[in-house]
Amino acid sequence: MQSTKQPSRTIGFEMYGVKLNLTGDYPALLEYQETLHPGLSGPAHQSPHLEVYAHWIDEPKGRGVSYFPGSENLNAMGKRMLIGENELVWIDTHRDKDMQLRFRRNGDTPVFDVAYCYQPSQKKLAKYPKFRQKKFFDLARYLVFFPIAWYLERTRSWTLIHASAVSDGEKAVMIAGPGGAGKTTTCVGLIARTGMKLLTENLLLCDGNLIYPVIEPLRLTEASLTLLKDAMNGLEPVEIPGGLRTKTMYWLPDGQKLGSAKPAIIFIPQFSQESFVHPLSPGLAGEQINATNRLTLELNDYYWFTAALDVLWPEAGNTQRQLNILNKLTKTAPCYSLGIDKSAGVAPVVDQILHCLELQNTLQEVN
């Protein structure tokens, strides 16, 4: 296979003040990351908090062989890792047989190496004609998002939550749950009915008091697009091949912006035979959000990624702090279990959410 590598180039990313430099010698991969993160990317930073190196490999070296020079001097840790005093190489991640990871430091700066060997089978190419771009899309989390999220977790005790959120001025409605639970469709229904603004559609960060949107393209099913009608004129399709197969990605008409919001109310949805809304105690709501996080594939990937970092650079109390953030969040705003009857459409769900908001406003005025 002919190599398409060129001299290394470095681009910068910044999210909530965390500066990351991404370096690679495979131009198409770097250009894809710039296109996928247009509001976060820019020139390389002079003093980044994080350094990431993308290694695109055209020829395999064989199973169980490290792609990183010098790793033969490290000690074996179990069957799949090599470890030293300040370096860890993950030869077999189990999640992707063609990807290897290395964590190390450049002085005090954490460094993440992501090596991917491009060797798709004909069967894979038949299923994914744009398989190269699909891998560019999949690798984005390891090249940009996971390192930044980990850094925010360690330095500010922020935690990731799989949730959607909309806002109406200072009020934010947060809807947490696993993929396919109805979060996006419910948010779209709120937008269409009330004119609320989308904060985030898939992931958010939280410090226990405020929620912070994760900037990504809006992912919409055909059902959600039908609900929107004219409520979000100007939606721009994301012209990036290799993304989602069952949903279409769009940029918001006015763009997503980094910021923060205080949730006024939190819902945890599930599909049911009939619509319902039941209050949840803060403790139970926190447990459910934590459980749905673990059940979500993207966050599950994040947890095993950071588990390796916890092995290499453990920090006492970090795991408990993450749980404390969820418990603090669910004490900040009233929490409800939300039953969604798919046969009734989204209107009754929106009615229930708005009723809960009105009830909450009344209670606040009385107090």
Side-chain angles (χ1 to χ4, degrees), residues 45-100:
H45 301 291
Q46 292 296 320
S47 300
H49 299 98
L50 303 164
E51 295 178 3
V52 180
Y53 291 86
H55 308 273
W56 187 265
I57 299 167
D58 290 325
E59 297 294 338
K61 293 186 177 181
R63 295 299 301 275
V65 178
S66 171
Y67 289 129
F68 303 108
S71 59
E72 64 275 4
N73 299 320
L74 302 176
N75 298 317
M77 182 176 181
K79 299 177 180 179
R80 300 184 294 275
M81 291 182 176
L82 303 171
I83 195 167
E85 182 178 353
N86 209 21
E87 181 177 352
L88 184 146
V89 172
W90 204 340
I91 295 176
D92 181 1
T93 67
H94 265 206
R95 302 296 172 117
D96 191 328
K97 66 180 179 63
D98 299 313
M99 180 177 70
Q100 293 188 11

Side-chain angles (χ1 to χ4, degrees), residues 125 136 188 194 209-210 226 244 268 283 304 318 330 367:
L125 289 173
F136 292 169
V188 166
T194 67
N209 184 47
L210 300 174
T226 301
L244 306 173
I268 302 175
W304 69 256
N318 179 62
T330 54
N367 295 331

Side-chain angles (χ1 to χ4, degrees), residues 164-215:
S164 302
V166 295
S167 69
D168 182 11
E170 296 180 353
K171 301 174 185 177
V173 178
M174 174 178 151
I175 305 175
K183 300 186 303 300
T184 300
T185 301
T186 302
C187 282
V188 166
L190 283 166
I191 293 168
R193 174 83 68 86
T194 67
M196 290 183 178
K197 299 294 184 181
L198 182 73
L199 287 175
T200 187
E201 179 268 334
N202 186 51
L203 291 170
L204 58 82
L205 291 151
C206 178
D207 64 4
N209 184 47
L210 300 174
I211 57 176
Y212 304 83
V214 172
I215 295 180

